[in-house]
Amino acid sequence: MSEELKREYRVCEEIGRGRFGVVFKCYSPGTGETFAVKSINKLLIADDSIDRQCLYNEAKIMHLVSPNPHIVRIVDVCEDDTYLDIVLELCNSSDLFHRLSTQRVFSESDAIAVMVPLMEAIAHCHRLGVAHRDIKPDNILFNDWNDLKLADFGSAQCFCEGELMSGVVGTPYYVAPEVLAGRDYNEKVDIWSAGVILYIMLAGIPPFYGDSTEEIFEAVLRANLRFPTRIFRSVSPAAKDLLRRMLCKDISRRFSAEQVLRHPWITSNDGTKEDGVVA
């Protein structure tokens, strides 16, 4: 970690690890406030690589989308020749991946409690011209007050209205088919990923799966969305309607974040209402 970080903060235990960075808990000696710090070794990243560009984009984009109640707050950036350290709000209360591992299937009301702040965070990013591009349960954190916080903008990209993006980024199971197909794409890749999360919360399994990464990608490219009766017997028509609109292969028909937030399943706060299907 950078000398600047060591001067300003006291670094404690490791709490996470990524491809290029390690996340530590730290605190400010002056205020006693605790934070998380993502420490990235720049020597591990080639100067001309896309990863180097993403490295510097992350802090810039986090400043752009902050403050927002549903996005991890950036506190400070420290740097020297070797390390880039991003000091962040500390979210101590696990992540959605952990909650899915322990709870497996969510009630519709519990799923709504996740989807509303998540989609508000995504809508906020899209209004500001930012696509996250790696929405997945590991990047959905909770703080001590159980507030949802969208994290990890390492793959995020700024866009102008009507402008398309390129590059294969994302995570198996959650990546949108247009990304895997190598086509240019827009910010609706985030809606697809959020739709996969909603499906997993309600079903306990992903909508598109396989025994290997290659098989998963093939299933995502086919995008054959199904609702097995045995699993979806108790899931409301409104919830399934929203899933069809989020996991729609036709990007022009796929919902925007704002449309998701206006869907009756979301606005009614009661996924059991059968009249909540959008015509």
Side-chain angles (χ1 to χ4, degrees):
M1 54 202 67
S2 66
E3 293 304 316
E4 183 184 358
L5 181 83
K6 292 174 185 174
R7 283 195 303 271
E8 300 294 329
Y9 301 90
R10 297 293 176 268
V11 180
C12 308
E13 70 271 18
E14 179 182 324
I15 55 175
R17 187 173 284 264
R19 194 155 137 234
F20 297 112
V22 182
V23 182
F24 298 94
K25 192 173 181 179
C26 70
Y27 69 94
S28 165
T31 65
E33 257 192 294
T34 55
F35 305 103
V37 56
K38 184 176 185 178
S39 186
I40 301 160
N41 187 338
K42 297 190 290 185
L43 301 181
L44 297 176
I45 308 171
D47 286 338
D48 59 349
S49 70
I50 293 172
D51 293 314
R52 172 68 62 135
Q53 183 185 342
C54 290
L55 169 69
Y56 288 101
N57 277 350
E58 182 171 8
K60 181 181 79 173
I61 286 172
M62 290 200 75
H63 277 300
L64 176 61
V65 299
S66 293
N68 181 275
H70 305 306
I71 294 174
V72 168
R73 178 172 55 94
I74 185 167
V75 175
D76 202 356
V77 178
C78 303
E79 185 177 10
D80 61 17
D81 292 340
T82 307
Y83 290 97
L84 175 68
D85 299 316
I86 305 173
V87 182
L88 304 161
E89 171 186 6
L90 179 65
C91 293
N92 253 340
S93 186
S94 77
D95 56 36
L96 186 59
F97 180 83
H98 174 76
R99 294 189 178 195
L100 284 165
S101 301
T102 55
Q103 192 169 334
R104 190 165 170 77
V105 176
F106 284 39
S107 68
E108 292 193 32
S109 59
D110 284 349
I112 288 171
V114 170
M115 288 302 294
V116 169
L118 173 60
M119 295 312 305
E120 285 177 351
I122 293 171
H124 172 74
C125 291
H126 290 182
R127 281 193 295 270
L128 292 172
V130 171
H132 186 283
R133 302 201 301 172
D134 196 18
I135 302 287
K136 59 182 178 181
D138 320 50
N139 290 337
I140 298 169
L141 311 181
F142 298 91
N143 66 14
D144 289 339
W145 298 273
N146 208 33
D147 299 320
L148 181 147
K149 304 279 183 172
L150 181 59
D152 198 345
F153 284 75
S155 297
Q157 184 172 329
C158 293
F159 65 89
C160 298
E161 189 172 350
E163 180 183 67
L164 297 178
M165 292 164 273
S166 61
V168 179
V169 294
T171 302
Y173 289 125
Y174 305 98
V175 65
E178 60 268 27
V179 176
L180 293 178
R183 300 198 304 269
D184 289 347
Y185 51 83
N186 64 17
E187 70 279 8
K188 286 186 180 180
V189 295
D190 290 342
I191 309 305
W192 178 279
S193 302
V196 173
I197 290 171
L198 175 56
Y199 189 105
I200 291 172
M201 285 193 292
L202 295 177
I205 59 170
F208 315 107
Y209 55 88
D211 293 329
S212 66
T213 300
E214 186 179 40
E215 286 183 9
I216 295 166
F217 286 167
E218 287 171 0
V220 171
L221 283 166
R222 286 194 300 271
N224 184 15
L225 181 63
R226 297 184 180 194
F227 300 112
T229 305
R230 180 176 57 83
I231 296 171
F232 277 86
R233 186 179 291 109
S234 60
V235 175
S236 69
K240 288 183 277 192
D241 180 75
L242 179 56
L243 283 166
R244 289 188 193 96
R245 294 167 190 275
M246 296 178 76
L247 296 172
C248 179
K249 195 173 181 181
D250 182 345
I251 304 161
S252 66
R253 291 174 54 235
R254 189 182 305 161
F255 265 13
S256 67
E258 300 284 2
Q259 286 174 307
V260 172
L261 287 167
R262 291 197 300 269
H263 189 277
W265 185 73
I266 296 284
T267 58
S268 69
N269 281 320
D270 182 1
T272 62
K273 291 185 179 178
E274 292 205 6
D275 59 356
V277 181
V278 180

